[in-house]
Amino acid sequence: MSAEVVVNVPVQARLLEKRRESPDTFTLTLESPPSISGGKFFFAPGQFNMLGVPGLGEVPISISGDPANPKKLVHTVRAVGNITEAITATHPGACLTVRGPFGAGWPVDQTRTGSKEIIVVAGGVGLPPLRPAIYHFLANPALYPVVTLLYGARNPLDLVFKRELEQWTKRSRMRVEITVDRAGSSGWLGRVGVVTNLIGQVKFNPDRVTALVCGPEIMLRYTLMELEKRGVGPANIYVSMERNMQCGTRFCGHCQWGPYFICKDGPVFRYDHIKDWFSLQEI
Amino acid sequence: MFEEILVRHPFFHQLNPDQLREIALHCEQLNYETGEYIFKEGKKADRFFLVLHGQVALEIHDPGRGPLIIQTLCDEDLMGWSWLFSPNRWHFDARAVKPTRLLAIEGSWLHEQIEADPKLGYLFMSRVAQIMFDRLQATRLQLMDIYSKEPAQPMRGRKL
Ligand SMILES: Cc1cc2nc3c(=O)[nH]c(=O)nc-3n(C[C@H](O)[C@H](O)[C@H](O)COP(=O)(O)OP(=O)(O)OC[C@H]3O[C@@H](n4cnc5c(N)ncnc54)[C@H](O)[C@@H]3O)c2cc1C
């Protein structure tokens, strides 16, 4: 997968489709900019782009589409502040700016042993950065015979990719377990409780499993503890750290984290490489 | 048959075959259809359950909002500790949200056993404490509302 990167100069990409995932989260499908690799935007699962609104600014957003379909550039964005609100308010037909792809992605090549089990643990809008890896695992059953997705969200309304989750649950070979922190009086009949509970409830072989984890940082910490409790070694756990960053090229130093720059060395890290930095509050 | 189930469950590891056989004599298998209540808040609590298959919702009833699910339990989870502690009444409703098979263990009998045999009592209570600890941690995480845009910070001091 050779990627032509647009590192320093943002290019314009037309918004083709906008789909509401939850009250504040949207999936945006952009046309891959024609100027890049003949309209094909190649990326590795877990990489991100700097996505922006012309004249306003740009923010890091993971690519949430299928790496096997480089003609479309898909991102899932939660509106939390100025720029993400402006991005999600953009109408189809208008253009956003794109710079990327950046960063080290999920270990989809290292896990190609054919005998390993994969566990994907996602919390909230931590699922979109994992979706390209899931597509890759599902498209390669011989390489990834056993795949499990554990997904937790705040409440049933906040679950993203609802239709796809249903398809994966009913029609894919992936085991899918979903839980919400609060069911309220929504009529939800699925599980209620934190996503870390699910780790104790699924069967896997800790010596053969590779875990991919993405979500809010507190959820990451508890998930890592739970995986370690189940005997999964830190070298077999990968986490995505979504701290604030600016340049995407290791230049500005905004995202320095211990010896690493999240924009370049991450956002995906092998847990044993960052374990010492993980729970330090002052960095 | 119940003995085999107990042997396989981590909660009962370290119990000797005689103890397991005895406990098995005080077990009963129960089946519930979707929507059926297993126990109700305020009623006498005299046993605890091992979920063999299915899914159970622990609920609290709020007039005006109806039942609010606090937590769900599924295969291999243990459910119900109120029989151990005074006033021995259930604190929540438990309702099957899928067809559910449970193993019910007679609490009052077990209570007598663990009081008479401190070694068994220690083993049993340390297992119970571990489960309660795990559930307390999970509940704390749930309370932190970590997925909200501005996570609640229950530990950050507010002036009293
Ligand atoms: C590598 C990487 C990948 C990301 N992928 C996605 C993605 O796929 N989808 C998505 O919706 N968001 C993603 N984010 C987060 C996104 O970049 C931020 O939400 C965005 O920068 C906020 O900018 P803003 O101007 O809208 O809000 P601001 O006005 O800058 O901030 C609004 C609020 O959001 C909080 N915030 C800002 N940045 C972050 C962050 N990184 N994580 C958590 N809270 C933050 C701020 O503390 C503040 O409370 C990713 C971040 C990184 C570093």
Coordinates of all heavy atoms in Angstrom, one line a residue, chain B residues 10-45:
Chain B
P10 N -15.1 -20.7 38.1 CA -14.0 -20.2 38.9 C -14.3 -19.9 40.3 O -13.5 -20.0 41.2 CB -13.5 -19.0 38.1 CG -14.3 -18.8 36.9 CD -15.3 -20.0 36.9
F11 N -15.6 -19.5 40.6 CA -15.9 -19.1 41.9 C -15.7 -20.2 42.9 O -15.4 -20.0 44.1 CB -17.4 -18.6 41.9 CG -17.9 -18.1 43.3 CD1 -17.6 -16.8 43.7 CD2 -18.6 -18.9 44.2 CE1 -18.0 -16.3 44.9 CE2 -19.0 -18.4 45.4 CZ -18.7 -17.1 45.8
F12 N -15.9 -21.4 42.4 CA -15.9 -22.6 43.3 C -14.6 -23.3 43.3 O -14.4 -24.4 44.0 CB -17.1 -23.6 43.0 CG -18.4 -22.9 43.2 CD1 -19.1 -22.4 42.1 CD2 -19.0 -22.8 44.4 CE1 -20.3 -21.8 42.2 CE2 -20.2 -22.2 44.6 CZ -20.9 -21.7 43.5
H13 N -13.6 -22.8 42.5 CA -12.3 -23.5 42.5 C -11.7 -23.5 43.9 O -12.0 -22.5 44.7 CB -11.3 -22.7 41.6 CG -11.6 -22.9 40.1 ND1 -10.9 -22.3 39.2 CD2 -12.5 -23.7 39.5 CE1 -11.4 -22.6 38.0 NE2 -12.3 -23.5 38.2
Q14 N -11.0 -24.4 44.3 CA -10.4 -24.6 45.6 C -11.3 -25.2 46.6 O -10.9 -25.5 47.7 CB -9.8 -23.3 46.2 CG -8.6 -22.8 45.5 CD -8.0 -21.5 46.1 OE1 -8.4 -21.1 47.2 NE2 -7.1 -20.9 45.3
L15 N -12.6 -25.4 46.3 CA -13.4 -26.2 47.2 C -13.2 -27.6 46.9 O -12.9 -28.0 45.8 CB -14.9 -25.9 47.0 CG -15.4 -24.4 47.2 CD1 -16.9 -24.4 47.3 CD2 -14.9 -23.9 48.6
N16 N -13.2 -28.4 48.0 CA -12.9 -29.9 47.8 C -14.1 -30.6 47.3 O -15.2 -30.1 47.4 CB -12.2 -30.5 49.0 CG -13.2 -30.5 50.2 OD1 -14.4 -30.9 50.0 ND2 -12.7 -30.2 51.4
P17 N -13.9 -31.8 46.7 CA -15.0 -32.5 46.1 C -16.2 -32.8 47.1 O -17.4 -32.7 46.7 CB -14.4 -33.9 45.7 CG -13.0 -33.6 45.6 CD -12.6 -32.5 46.5
D18 N -15.9 -33.0 48.4 CA -17.0 -33.2 49.4 C -17.8 -31.9 49.5 O -19.1 -32.0 49.6 CB -16.4 -33.5 50.8 CG -15.8 -34.9 50.7 OD1 -16.1 -35.7 49.8 OD2 -15.0 -35.2 51.6
Q19 N -17.1 -30.8 49.6 CA -17.8 -29.5 49.7 C -18.7 -29.3 48.5 O -19.9 -28.8 48.6 CB -16.9 -28.4 49.9 CG -16.2 -28.4 51.3 CD -15.0 -27.4 51.4 OE1 -14.2 -27.3 50.4 NE2 -14.8 -26.9 52.5
L20 N -18.2 -29.5 47.3 CA -18.9 -29.3 46.1 C -20.1 -30.2 46.0 O -21.2 -29.8 45.6 CB -18.0 -29.5 44.9 CG -16.9 -28.5 44.7 CD1 -16.0 -28.9 43.5 CD2 -17.6 -27.1 44.3
R21 N -19.9 -31.5 46.5 CA -21.1 -32.4 46.4 C -22.2 -31.9 47.3 O -23.3 -31.9 47.0 CB -20.6 -33.8 46.9 CG -21.4 -34.9 46.4 CD -20.8 -36.3 46.6 NE -19.4 -36.4 46.1 CZ -18.3 -36.7 46.8 NH1 -18.4 -36.9 48.1 NH2 -17.1 -36.7 46.2
E22 N -21.8 -31.4 48.5 CA -22.8 -30.9 49.5 C -23.5 -29.7 48.9 O -24.8 -29.7 49.0 CB -22.0 -30.4 50.8 CG -21.9 -31.5 51.8 CD -23.2 -31.9 52.4 OE1 -23.9 -31.0 53.0 OE2 -23.6 -33.0 52.3
I23 N -22.8 -28.8 48.3 CA -23.4 -27.6 47.8 C -24.4 -28.0 46.6 O -25.5 -27.5 46.5 CB -22.4 -26.6 47.2 CG1 -21.5 -26.0 48.4 CG2 -23.1 -25.4 46.5 CD1 -20.4 -25.1 48.0
A24 N -23.9 -29.0 45.8 CA -24.7 -29.4 44.7 C -26.1 -29.9 45.2 O -27.1 -29.8 44.5 CB -24.0 -30.4 43.9
L25 N -26.1 -30.5 46.4 CA -27.4 -31.0 46.9 C -28.4 -29.9 47.3 O -29.5 -30.1 47.5 CB -27.1 -31.9 48.2 CG -26.4 -33.2 48.0 CD1 -26.1 -33.8 49.3 CD2 -27.2 -34.1 47.1
H26 N -27.8 -28.7 47.4 CA -28.7 -27.5 47.7 C -28.8 -26.6 46.6 O -29.0 -25.4 46.7 CB -28.1 -26.8 49.0 CG -28.1 -27.7 50.2 ND1 -27.2 -28.6 50.5 CD2 -29.1 -27.7 51.2 CE1 -27.5 -29.2 51.6 NE2 -28.7 -28.7 52.0
C27 N -28.7 -27.1 45.4 CA -28.9 -26.3 44.1 C -30.2 -26.7 43.4 O -30.7 -27.8 43.6 CB -27.7 -26.5 43.2 SG -26.2 -25.8 43.7
E28 N -30.6 -25.8 42.6 CA -31.8 -26.1 41.8 C -31.7 -25.3 40.5 O -31.2 -24.2 40.5 CB -33.0 -25.5 42.6 CG -34.3 -25.6 41.9 CD -35.5 -24.9 42.8 OE1 -35.1 -24.1 43.7 OE2 -36.6 -25.1 42.4
Q29 N -32.1 -26.0 39.4 CA -32.0 -25.3 38.1 C -33.3 -24.6 37.8 O -34.4 -25.2 38.0 CB -31.6 -26.2 37.0 CG -31.3 -25.5 35.7 CD -30.8 -26.4 34.6 OE1 -29.8 -27.0 34.8 NE2 -31.5 -26.4 33.5
L30 N -33.3 -23.3 37.4 CA -34.5 -22.6 37.1 C -34.5 -22.0 35.7 O -33.4 -21.6 35.3 CB -34.7 -21.5 38.1 CG -34.7 -21.8 39.6 CD1 -34.6 -20.6 40.5 CD2 -36.0 -22.6 39.9
N31 N -35.6 -22.0 35.0 CA -35.7 -21.4 33.7 C -36.7 -20.3 33.7 O -37.7 -20.4 34.3 CB -36.2 -22.5 32.7 CG -35.2 -23.6 32.6 OD1 -34.0 -23.4 32.2 ND2 -35.6 -24.8 32.9
Y32 N -36.3 -19.2 33.0 CA -37.2 -18.0 32.9 C -37.3 -17.6 31.4 O -36.4 -17.7 30.7 CB -36.5 -16.9 33.7 CG -36.5 -17.1 35.2 CD1 -35.4 -17.8 35.7 CD2 -37.5 -16.7 36.0 CE1 -35.3 -18.0 37.1 CE2 -37.5 -16.9 37.4 CZ -36.4 -17.6 37.9 OH -36.4 -17.8 39.2
E33 N -38.5 -17.2 31.1 CA -38.8 -16.7 29.8 C -38.5 -15.2 29.8 O -38.4 -14.6 30.9 CB -40.3 -16.9 29.4 CG -40.7 -18.3 29.2 CD -39.9 -19.0 28.1 OE1 -39.5 -18.4 27.1 OE2 -39.6 -20.2 28.3
T34 N -38.3 -14.6 28.6 CA -38.0 -13.2 28.5 C -39.1 -12.4 29.2 O -40.3 -12.7 29.0 CB -38.0 -12.8 27.0 OG1 -37.0 -13.6 26.4 CG2 -37.7 -11.3 26.8
G35 N -38.7 -11.5 30.0 CA -39.7 -10.6 30.7 C -40.1 -11.1 32.1 O -40.6 -10.3 32.9
E36 N -39.8 -12.4 32.4 CA -40.1 -12.9 33.8 C -39.2 -12.4 34.8 O -38.0 -12.3 34.6 CB -40.1 -14.4 33.7 CG -41.4 -15.1 33.5 CD -41.2 -16.6 33.7 OE1 -40.6 -17.3 32.8 OE2 -41.7 -17.1 34.7
Y37 N -39.8 -12.1 36.0 CA -39.0 -11.6 37.1 C -38.4 -12.8 37.9 O -39.0 -13.8 38.2 CB -39.8 -10.7 38.1 CG -40.0 -9.4 37.5 CD1 -41.1 -9.0 36.8 CD2 -39.0 -8.4 37.7 CE1 -41.3 -7.7 36.3 CE2 -39.1 -7.1 37.2 CZ -40.3 -6.8 36.5 OH -40.4 -5.5 35.9
I38 N -37.1 -12.6 38.3 CA -36.4 -13.7 39.1 C -36.6 -13.3 40.5 O -36.8 -14.2 41.4 CB -35.0 -13.8 38.6 CG1 -34.9 -14.2 37.2 CG2 -34.2 -14.8 39.5 CD1 -33.7 -13.7 36.4
F39 N -36.4 -12.1 40.9 CA -36.7 -11.6 42.2 C -37.1 -10.1 42.1 O -36.9 -9.4 41.1 CB -35.7 -11.8 43.2 CG -34.3 -11.3 42.9 CD1 -33.9 -10.0 43.0 CD2 -33.3 -12.2 42.5 CE1 -32.7 -9.6 42.7 CE2 -32.0 -11.8 42.2 CZ -31.7 -10.5 42.3
K40 N -37.8 -9.6 43.2 CA -38.2 -8.2 43.2 C -37.7 -7.5 44.4 O -37.6 -8.1 45.5 CB -39.8 -8.2 43.2 CG -40.4 -8.7 41.9 CD -41.6 -7.9 41.5 CE -41.5 -7.2 40.3 NZ -42.5 -6.2 40.0
E41 N -37.5 -6.2 44.2 CA -36.9 -5.4 45.3 C -37.8 -5.5 46.5 O -39.0 -5.5 46.4 CB -37.0 -3.9 44.7 CG -36.4 -2.9 45.7 CD -36.5 -1.5 45.2 OE1 -36.8 -1.3 44.0 OE2 -36.4 -0.6 46.0
G42 N -37.1 -5.6 47.7 CA -37.8 -5.6 49.0 C -38.3 -7.0 49.4 O -38.5 -7.2 50.6
K43 N -38.3 -7.9 48.5 CA -38.7 -9.3 48.9 C -37.5 -10.0 49.6 O -36.3 -9.6 49.4 CB -39.1 -10.1 47.7 CG -40.3 -9.5 47.0 CD -41.6 -10.0 47.7 CE -42.8 -9.5 46.9 NZ -43.7 -8.6 47.6
K44 N -37.8 -11.0 50.3 CA -36.8 -11.7 51.1 C -35.8 -12.4 50.2 O -36.1 -13.0 49.2 CB -37.5 -12.8 51.9 CG -36.6 -13.5 52.9 CD -37.5 -14.4 53.9 CE -36.7 -15.3 54.7 NZ -35.3 -15.0 55.1
A45 N -34.5 -12.2 50.5 CA -33.4 -12.7 49.7 C -32.9 -14.0 50.4 O -32.3 -13.8 51.5 CB -32.3 -11.7 49.6

